[in-house]
Amino acid sequence: MNILVINGPNLNMLGIREPNIYGRTTYAVLCALIEDHAEKIGVDVELYQSNHEGDLVDHIQKAYNRIDGIVINPGAYTHTSVAILDALKAVSIPAVEVHVSEVDKREEFRQISYVRLACFATITGHGVNGYLEAMDLLRERNAG
Ligand code: DQA
């Protein structure tokens, strides 16, 4: 099984940005945790991060016919991007939405998620562990 983990804008700043909200784990450490977890559960994993909406759309399109599951944290684009929603719908790959923080308990504008409409599960507020939980969900779903 191939899993693609996509992170949107400012998630490369994890560990530096607002640590009271997002914690102190850096993006590099997050990547290492994801790679270790992939090995543990026996899946292949690819990681991608971009600050640009169109690049995220391009990368989702490139997953078509190649990737079996997507973990996506679109960052701020969660709350604005119909383009990312449409890309996920277009490729029709099982996807899980992840947020490090508890978005549903923050500002009102963070409580809207477009991508959620194309995801079979959402994990919020579990810190970086949420990514690993999302991988487990995809693995279970893939196993039937
Ligand atoms: C986030 C929540 C978003 O509202 C915010 O814009 C982010 C990170 C999270 O992981 O909690 O960049 O997606």
Side-chain angles (χ1 to χ4, degrees), residues 9 11 17 22 73 75-76 78-79 98-101 103 106 110:
L11 287 154
R17 69 184 292 212
Y22 299 112
N73 182 349
T78 306
H79 320 299
V98 171
H99 299 285
V100 176
S101 68
V103 276
R106 296 179 63 195
R110 290 187 207 275

Side-chain angles (χ1 to χ4, degrees), residues 1 69-71 94 96 120 134-142:
M1 174 181 197
I70 294 177
V71 176
V96 179
F120 74 87
M135 291 166 73
D136 291 341
L137 287 181
L138 288 169
R139 173 83 181 75
E140 280 161 27
R141 188 181 164 114
N142 190 259

Side-chain angles (χ1 to χ4, degrees), residues 125-138:
H126 294 187
V128 293
N129 243 358
Y131 291 88
L132 313 185
E133 291 168 22
M135 291 166 73
D136 291 341
L137 287 181
L138 288 169

